[in-house]
C-alpha cells in the first residue's frame, strides 16, 4: 500500500500575530510549510505530498515547492484550501489518486516533527489500525470550565479530569484511506482533528508515542522555541 500525506496549510495563523499566512512564515529562513513538507517527504514510506494552500497563495506555494530541494521519489501537488481545517483536509483527500491506501494528515503548523514519529504512525496503520495519532502525556493539569460570557472574566471550574488518562495529540495522524474518506463524508460537526471523526464513526483510534519537537507553532513564543530547536539541529 502506498502512502500519501495531506498537509492542511490554509490557515491564517491569527494567534501568531499579524503577517503572512502562518505556513509561509519562515523558520531559520525557510517557510514553515517547506519544513513540514520535508518532514513528510523524508519518510521513505511517503511518495505523494498534497499541500492544501491558502487559496490566494496557491501559485506562490507551487513556486516555493519547486525552489526547494525535496526528495525526487516524492510527488508534490498543491490545491487551494477551504474555510475550515476540516474542509481543507477534504479538498486534499479529493485529489488523491487510486493506489494510496494509507493517508497521513499533517498540520503545516508542526514543521519540526521527526521522521521517526512519521514512520511510527505509518507502521501502526500498516499493522491494521484504521486511525493512529501520536500522543504525549500532559505537563499541565487540565480544568473544565463554564466559559465566561465576557472574555477575561473569571470562569467557574466544573471538573478536573484525571491527568494520567489524558494525552495531547499531534500530527501526522495516519489513516486507512477509505475510512478517512467515509468519515469526511459522514461527520459534519466542527472538529479540531481528523481522528475524532473516526471516533464518531465508532471505529478504533490508537496512539503511538508523540515527540516534543512535533509541537504546534501557534503563538509567538512557539516561534522562539522552533528557532531554538532548528539551531540545535544545525549544530
Ligand atoms: O487552526 P489550527 O491551528 O487548528 O490549524 C491547524 C492546521 O490547519 C494549520 O496547518 C492550518 O494552516 C490548517 N488550516 C487549513 N485551512 C483552514 C484552517 C486551518 O488548512 N481553513
Amino acid at each position: 500500500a502506498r502512502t500519501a500525506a495531506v498537509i492542511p496549510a490554509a490557515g491564517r495563523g491569527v494567534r501568531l500575530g499579524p503577517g503572512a499566512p502562518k505556513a509561509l512564515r519562515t523558520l531559520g529562513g525557510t517557510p514553515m510549510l517547506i519544513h513540514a513538507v520535508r518532514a513528510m517527504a523524508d519518510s521513505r514510506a511517503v511518495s505523494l505530498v498534497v499541500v492544501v494552500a491558502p487559496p490566494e497563495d496557491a501559485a506562490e506555494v507551487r513556486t516555493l515547492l519547486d525552489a526547494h530541494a525535496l526528495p525526487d521519489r516524492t510527488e508534490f501537488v498543491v490545491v487551494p484550501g477551504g474555510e475550515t481545517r476540516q474542509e481543507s483536509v477534504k479538498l486534499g483527500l479529493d485529489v488523491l489518486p487510486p493506489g494510496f491506501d494509507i493517508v497521513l494528515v499533517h498540520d503545516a503548523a508542526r514543521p519540526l516533527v521527526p521522521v521517526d514519529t512519521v514512520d511510527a504512525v505509518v507502521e501502526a496503520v500498516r499493522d491494521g489500525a484504521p486511525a493512529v495519532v501520536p500522543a504525549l502525556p500532559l505537563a499541565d493539569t487540565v480544568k473544565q470550565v463554564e466559559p465566561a460570557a465576557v472574555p477575561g472574566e473569571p470562569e467557574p471550574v466544573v471538573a478536573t479530569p484525571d491527568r494520567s488518562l489524558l494525552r495531547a495529540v499531534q500530527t501526522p495522524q495516519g489513516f486507512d484511506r477509505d475510512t478517512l474518506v467515509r468519515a469526511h463524508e459522514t461527520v459534519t460537526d466542527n472538529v479540531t482533528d481528523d481522528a475524532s471523526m473516526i471516533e464518531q464513526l465508532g471505529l478504533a483510534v490508537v496512539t503511538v508515542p508523540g515527540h516534543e519537537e512535533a509541537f504546534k507553532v501557534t503563538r509567538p513564543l512557539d516561534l522562539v522555541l522552533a528557532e531554538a530547536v532548528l539551531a540545535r539541529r544545525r549544530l
Side-chain angles (χ1 to χ4, degrees):
R2 303 177 78 195
T3 301
V6 172
I7 303 187
R12 300 300 315 172
V14 174
R15 288 168 291 181
L16 207 51
K22 177 158 70 176
L24 299 180
R25 306 210 196 178
T26 58
L27 284 180
T30 302
M32 190 142 38
L33 174 63
I34 297 296
H35 289 284
V37 166
R38 210 170 256 153
M40 296 301 106
D42 277 348
S43 166
R44 301 207 60 88
V46 174
S47 51
L48 170 65
V49 176
V50 176
V51 175
V52 188
E56 58 285 7
D57 299 308
E60 183 183 347
V61 166
R62 179 74 256 173
T63 306
L64 278 174
L65 289 171
D66 294 337
H68 287 83
L70 294 164
D72 292 338
R73 60 189 156 73
T74 309
E75 196 191 335
F76 301 92
V77 172
V78 180
V79 295
E83 288 295 310
T84 62
R85 181 185 182 282
Q86 204 174 355
E87 246 183 81
S88 293
V89 172
K90 171 97 168 57
L91 290 164
L93 293 176
D94 285 347
V95 303
L96 291 182
F100 288 91
D101 295 330
I102 297 177
V103 179
L104 301 177
V105 180
H106 181 62
D107 290 332
R110 298 182 188 274
L112 301 179
V113 60
V115 71
D116 288 353
T117 306
V118 182
D119 287 340
V121 170
V122 173
E123 206 47 49
V125 181
R126 282 184 177 156
D127 286 347
V132 177
V133 299
L136 287 179
L138 296 182
D140 295 324
T141 295
V142 173
K143 303 284 187 196
Q144 184 184 337
V145 299
E146 193 68 61
V150 183
E153 289 287 299
E155 300 179 317
V157 169
V158 174
T160 305
D162 178 356
R163 188 174 71 190
S164 69
L165 300 177
L166 297 175
R167 301 289 180 268
V169 307
Q170 306 177 321
T171 72
Q173 299 188 349
F175 303 92
D176 166 66
R177 179 207 184 145
D178 292 342
T179 307
L180 182 61
V181 168
R182 183 150 58 88
H184 273 269
E185 283 164 356
T186 320
V187 178
T188 51
D189 305 3
N190 211 18
V191 294
T192 54
D193 78 340
D194 296 276
S196 59
M197 306 173 85
I198 308 295
E199 293 160 48
Q200 288 192 40
L201 292 184
L203 298 173
V205 176
V206 297
T207 68
V208 295
H211 196 286
E212 53 182 356
E213 294 183 5
F215 67 95
K216 186 155 105 183
V217 175
T218 305
R219 290 172 286 260
L221 184 63
D222 300 323
L223 283 173
V224 178
L225 179 59
E227 292 285 2
V229 169
L230 258 189
R232 186 176 67 179
R233 282 186 191 176
R234 285 170 180 174
L235 283 182

